[in-house]
Amino acid sequence: MKIMKQSNSGKLEIIQISRALAILFVLIGHANNNFYQEIGYDWFNVAQWERTGGVDFFFIVTGFMIYYLYNKYAGNKEKATQFLIKRILRIFPLYWIFTTLALIVPLAFPMLQEGYSMEITLKSFLLLTNEPILSSAWSLTHIVFFYLLFFAYMYKPVIMKPFIGLLVGLTLLGEMNILSFLPSSIFSISIVEIFCGALVAYLSIHFTNKYAGLCIVLGMAGYFLVWVHNVYSLTFIPLSLAYGFCSMLIMYGIAEMDKTKRNVPRFFSYLGGASYSIYIAHGPFIKGYLMIFVKLNFFNIISPFFGLIIIILLVTASCCIVYNVVEKPLVETLRRKVLNKKKVTQPVPHLLAK
């Protein structure tokens, strides 16, 4: 490993593939969980696993991109404020739209009506709960907390560096049950994973990784071993730590590959840009399409396996429509009005997930 001076230009071509794969990984996991709950179909018993690793990889990619693109502005209060405003404009409008739909749609379909208290509704809209009304967006709470911490780091890096280090250290002690009294809402392993993604970005910026291919292979092999453990319950593995470490290896290898100019298929680049719309909208679309398939007895004609594939494709296409028709114009309009920018020249990276 060789020390180098790297200018993080923000061109993350290969990372776009990581964004696309991460969000599809999450979508597939949630689709399988819904199939298991509704019709009892479970692909390799994945729905019964504690976690599949999709969200862990997503957290790592999120932390990597945010640090890679914005760390150079640490100490710049104006850029820090702009960063936070951009995050708010990107996250909340689309999230509020789909949370509102999750409240309204059941009124037309009484069988879907769950009923939510005012407290739950308010906490969901403000992302003050790990169990929001839009259930597939549970990890958004951790993402927003990370953004607030990173904003504080950009604003006052000297103060925030030891604070973040202490937060990560205490969280790891809590994960090992050494400090079991710590509140999980603050001292969450999910936050640690996102900061681990930032650590990978730091290493990528300042060092040359001569073993990028090996890192990717080892990371993928690690994922496979954890999945084997999940299937056969061979021994106890702290899944979040295992998935997080493997994701770091994969991300570190991919980041090195991204230092050389490469052509990325437009499809994956597009899916990477649409990742937030897919993240927010995929849950309701999965439930909607599955309800239609069950109502029309489609599974008497096609097997659940092919039905799952069809629904995944339909959900992906529907979420892309949401990206083109709702998210993209909405964010551009809001940024233009709030930040007085005529045109959005570069999509703001945003990654979330299971």
Side-chain angles (χ1 to χ4, degrees):
M1 195 175 291
K2 179 182 176 183
I3 297 178
M4 67 174 293
K5 290 184 178 179
Q6 169 87 5
S7 175
N8 47 329
S9 62
K11 293 186 178 297
L12 303 172
E13 301 296 338
I14 307 298
I15 302 300
Q16 287 289 68
I17 296 179
S18 301
R19 298 175 67 187
L21 293 178
I23 194 59
L24 290 177
F25 193 179
V26 172
L27 190 161
I28 292 170
H30 285 167
N32 184 74
N33 287 345
N34 278 268
F35 265 64
Y36 179 64
Q37 294 171 8
E38 294 297 326
I39 64 174
Y41 177 75
D42 190 5
W43 186 60
F44 290 110
N45 294 321
V46 170
Q48 301 177 59
W49 297 359
E50 180 182 340
R51 57 204 295 156
T52 63
V55 69
D56 305 279
F57 185 58
F58 210 72
F59 283 148
I60 295 295
V61 177
T62 299
F64 178 94
M65 294 194 71
I66 293 301
Y67 185 91
Y68 191 94
L69 295 176
Y70 291 103
N71 178 65
K72 57 188 174 184
Y73 301 120
N76 187 324
K77 296 181 179 180
E78 181 180 355
K79 289 291 185 180
T81 302
Q82 289 181 4
F83 165 81
L84 186 60
I85 293 174
K86 288 177 181 178
R87 298 301 97 196
I88 292 172
L89 296 180
R90 185 66 185 274
I91 294 171
F92 284 100
L94 189 66
Y95 170 71
W96 284 338
I97 288 173
F98 274 86
T99 298
T100 301
L101 288 175
L103 288 169
I104 294 176
V105 170
L107 298 179
F109 301 94
M111 74 287 293
L112 300 178
Q113 183 65 46
E114 296 184 35
Y116 299 101
S117 66
M118 181 60 68
E119 179 183 359
I120 292 176
T121 302
L122 184 60
K123 284 184 176 181
S124 292
F125 272 93
L126 297 179
L127 287 173
L128 297 177
T129 175
N130 288 330
E131 297 181 359
I133 293 172
L134 194 63
S135 58
S136 59
W138 67 267
S139 55
L140 193 55
T141 302
H142 303 296
I143 296 289
V144 170
F145 185 39
F146 167 76
Y147 286 156
L148 291 174
L149 289 173
F150 196 83
F151 159 73
Y153 161 75
M154 290 179 65
Y155 203 86
K156 287 288 185 180
V158 176
I159 296 176
M160 288 305 298
K161 281 182 180 179
F163 177 82
I164 291 173
L166 179 63
L167 175 68
V168 170
L170 291 175
T171 302
L172 290 175
L173 291 176
E175 186 71 10
M176 293 182 288
N177 293 320
I178 296 176
L179 298 176
S180 57
F181 60 87
L182 297 174
S184 59
S185 57
I186 297 176
F187 299 92
S188 168
I189 194 63
S190 298
I191 298 296
V192 173
E193 287 186 308
I194 304 173
F195 276 111
C196 284
L199 174 61
V200 173
Y202 173 84
L203 294 174
S204 177
I205 292 170
H206 295 284
F207 298 90
T208 297
N209 180 5
K210 295 182 179 180
Y211 306 100
L214 180 61
C215 285
I216 295 174
V217 170
L218 289 176
M220 294 178 66
Y223 257 85
F224 178 76
L225 289 175
V226 177
W227 289 337
V228 169
H229 159 268
N230 289 342
V231 173
Y232 296 104
S233 300
L234 300 178
T235 183
F236 173 78
I237 297 177
L239 295 182
S240 55
L241 296 180
Y243 283 134
F245 180 72
C246 294
S247 298
M248 289 177 68
L249 286 174
I250 295 172
M251 198 73 245
Y252 195 24
I254 291 175
E256 187 63 32
M257 295 172 59
D258 228 341
K259 291 178 182 178
T260 58
K261 188 174 181 180
R262 298 172 183 269
N263 294 323
V264 174
R266 289 188 177 183
F267 174 72
F268 286 108
S269 181
Y270 173 80
L271 284 183
S275 60
Y276 185 53
S277 288
I278 298 174
Y279 167 72
I280 288 295
H282 78 274
F285 278 128
I286 289 172
K287 292 180 182 298
Y289 283 123
L290 183 55
M291 183 179 69
I292 292 172
F293 274 43
V294 171
K295 195 73 174 177
L296 297 179
N297 295 316
F298 273 13
F299 296 114
N300 292 335
I301 304 173
I302 59 175
S303 69
F305 174 79
F306 289 108
L308 178 60
I309 294 175
I310 292 171
I311 284 183
I312 288 171
L313 293 175
L314 287 172
V315 170
T316 302
S318 300
C319 292
C320 288
I321 293 173
V322 170
Y323 172 65
N324 287 329
V325 177
V326 182
E327 183 198 349
K328 200 172 181 181
L330 178 61
V331 171
E332 288 182 355
T333 301
L334 290 173
R335 288 186 65 187
R336 187 167 59 247
K337 290 182 178 297
V338 176
L339 299 174
N340 296 318
K341 291 192 174 184
K342 293 183 179 180
K343 185 180 179 182
V344 177
T345 57
Q346 179 181 344
V348 179
H350 189 84
L351 299 174
L352 311 154
K354 178 186 173 182

